Amino acid sequence: MEEIQSQSDNYRSSSSSASSPASRVPSSNFFYLRKPGSLRQPISFEDSPEWDDTDIDVRVEEGGDSINVATTPASPSLSKLNSGSLPSPRLPEGAIIPRKIAGASVAWKDLTVTIKGKRKYSDKVIKSSTCYALPGTMTVIMGPAKSGKSTLLRAIAGRLHPSARMYGEVFVNGAKSQIPYGSYGYVERETTLIGSLTVREFLYYSALLQLPGFFCQKKSVVEDAIHAMSLGDHANKLIGGHCYMKGLPSGERRLVSIARELVMRPRILFIDEPLYHLDSVSALLMMVTLKRLASTGYTLILTIYQSSTEVFGLFDRICLLSNGNTLFFGETLACLQHFSNAGFPCPIMQSPSDHFLRAINTDFDRIIAMCKNWQDDNGDFSSVNMDTAVAIRTLEATYKSSADAAAVETMILKLTEKEGPALKSKGKASNATRIAVLTWRSLLVVSREWKYYWLHLILYMLLTLCIGTVFSGLGHSLSSVVTRVAAIFVFVSFCSLLSIARVPALMKEIKIYACEESNQHSSTLVFLLAQLLSSIPFLFLISISSSLVFYFLVGLEDQFSLLMYFVLNFFMTLLVNEGIMLVVATLWQDVFWSVLTLLCIHVVMMLSAGYFRIRNALPGPVWMYPMSYIAFHTYSIQGLLENEYLGTSFAVGQVRTISGFQALQGGYNISPDSNSKWKNLLVLFLMAIGYRIIVFILLFCFVGRKIFMRKCFKCNRDTTDHTS
């Protein structure tokens, strides 16, 4: 840390001395974080890999857990690739030496992205961007909000939305091809973690989902990722959040989301806003960790909105965007020189990134207009005295005619002149393995998250206890039939309503699935099967405990077979209800609107279930057809009443008896068929399957379709490239 601070001080002193255009000549005292012995040698645009000078042989061991890199003695030009890496302090005894990764060069030429309706005046979100990223370095895409940073990052990684159109060329190791699975990692700005797992558990399950092979082979991969992200002190701590008051700080949570992508040991790592919602100390620790990660050979491409002076000094190259236009690409020191040449020198005691964004962010025009009569002690309110639009055009024109732009073009030609080692796709875990892993992980989460599971079970017990005591002591006389029907209706309806409390937990499961699906760690079918298998034990526990309390308090027929049918019927009811909740949660993707919609659905289904008005007497349009047939309450209550009353009889006077079917004629419509209750159970089972098929279609349309369209788009681009 002392070395970082000293280097940052040198950065401030050098940038302060360059407050005027005349003094903006690179000073020999200016340096970024470099390896010892190269502190005074800034990275040159000539630092490109010479594929002829080195022969990199990448071999993936069985299981795809590790990469062995065999290289011949590196040429001088290749050895300079690591000139931007963070100086490593002397390792203590017993320390784990970071594994070296054979990175990959990435270059994009004349990259243009159009999204209809995205911009107010033009559909072009990215306009003719030409840049590159080299192994062992950290390339940062910087710009104000809505400048196209995330869109450019997705375009390079091949993760654009299906509605977007990309033009231009992207080269990986000199070849125009898509980046295969396992060769790159992508970290979204906001990722969903599982708070009830420890860091080590979370990464271990991620490794099981991503990598093929045996379980024991994943442990070394997880440990490497933990040490690479400096998470050793937090490895056995719960990630936290969700059901827990405390958890990991936001900086460490962000490191965990990056470590999840490292378990595949990718060659290229894309990170969208790694400093999102981090304070200055956490941001510096994050960037130092990423700098150290880049020094092991990774190709890092990041997007950053704004940074401190210390963080800015860690960048190797910077791509400055504004409204989709590339205003500069090159080394960070050269960017300061570029602004000075354009007439916008960085003032003394001001962060370079603050100065850059002040010059190119159009939002500052409104602030200047509001404060045009204000002046601070040093004179003008702002060091940039012209309109932002004029500043952007000036910077863009200056860059296009500069030697920096020409050097970038030369480097692109050099990188694409010959194809380097092709990136190979790594094996995936089988679907059966993924289903087993997700099921076991969900069961572990269920056992730990008391707020949405165990508390839910307690509430079910309390509710059924209340219902059972209210309707206790009914007896088995004819006069108790109507009250018994009311008890069963209240039990089914109220317990179904109570299950809505699980919506936040289901919503979190869907978000986790969407995050894992976007990186091809899971699939829609795998998620639904695992979710179903993991929910069955919990729902069955609720059904059997609640049914036992209600059954014996109310005093239903004392037969074991009837009790088992009651439990099975209620279990299928809960399974159908969970399917409805999954459908609504997938549609809304919002807890408030999902709960509100589910309440409305349950009220409508309760009204059409045949209790408040006999089903045959309901109005034909809407209530009779289709609502009474859609409502699962109808089949659940009808099956439970048939289970209770078919085969029974009641005495009317001293000589006459009536059957249970006849006793229910005035209270509820049931069928006299002895097999009718099993038909109702079958309908509930089909409804549970049907709602999950609907969820499958919705998830595929909302999440899976994006992945499918991206794959088709990549295949089309590859076919076009090969044809040309």
Side-chain angles (χ1 to χ4, degrees), residues 215-412:
F215 291 171
C216 58
Q217 296 176 338
K218 312 299 188 302
K219 293 183 179 179
S220 62
V221 178
V222 171
E223 294 304 320
D224 288 345
I226 290 174
H227 287 285
M229 289 290 99
S230 302
L231 291 169
D233 295 337
H234 306 279
N236 295 319
K237 295 181 180 179
L238 291 175
I239 295 175
H242 201 39
C243 291
Y244 298 89
M245 296 298 293
K246 293 183 179 180
L248 295 180
S250 56
E252 280 66 26
R253 291 172 63 88
R254 193 70 173 138
L255 290 173
V256 172
S257 64
I258 298 174
R260 173 169 55 185
E261 300 304 316
L262 291 182
V263 297
M264 184 60 83
R265 287 180 178 156
R267 311 279 288 280
I268 308 166
L269 193 59
F270 301 93
I271 308 177
D272 192 9
E273 296 283 358
L275 308 184
Y276 187 64
H277 284 171
L278 299 186
D279 56 65
S280 58
V281 176
S282 300
L284 180 59
L285 291 175
M286 168 67 73
M287 294 308 296
V288 168
T289 303
L290 293 178
K291 185 70 175 180
R292 187 180 64 178
L293 182 66
S295 69
T296 61
Y298 285 96
T299 303
L300 264 61
I301 304 178
L302 325 173
T303 64
I304 287 180
Y305 174 74
Q306 198 169 10
S307 67
S308 63
T309 304
E310 290 82 1
V311 169
F312 183 80
L314 295 171
F315 302 160
D316 290 310
R317 292 178 179 86
I318 180 173
C319 174
L320 201 60
L321 292 181
S322 181
N323 294 326
N325 298 301
T326 302
L327 305 185
F328 176 80
F329 175 74
E331 295 185 11
T332 48
L333 176 58
C335 189
L336 290 169
Q337 183 65 48
H338 168 65
F339 269 72
S340 179
N341 294 338
F344 310 112
C346 183
I348 300 176
M349 303 300 293
Q350 184 172 358
S351 170
S353 63
D354 290 343
H355 176 66
F356 297 159
L357 294 179
R358 165 60 194 93
I360 64 177
N361 194 342
T362 56
D363 292 337
F364 277 98
D365 291 339
R366 291 180 295 174
I367 300 176
I368 296 299
M370 294 172 55
C371 308
K372 60 183 179 180
N373 296 325
W374 294 3
Q375 286 188 345
D376 54 22
D377 297 336
N378 298 322
D380 293 337
F381 180 78
S382 172
S383 59
V384 180
N385 296 317
M386 68 171 62
D387 184 78
T388 303
V390 177
I392 292 173
R393 289 195 297 269
T394 303
L395 289 167
E396 186 178 8
T398 303
Y399 173 67
K400 288 182 177 179
S401 60
S402 67
D404 295 326
V408 172
E409 293 289 345
T410 302
M411 173 59 81
I412 297 294

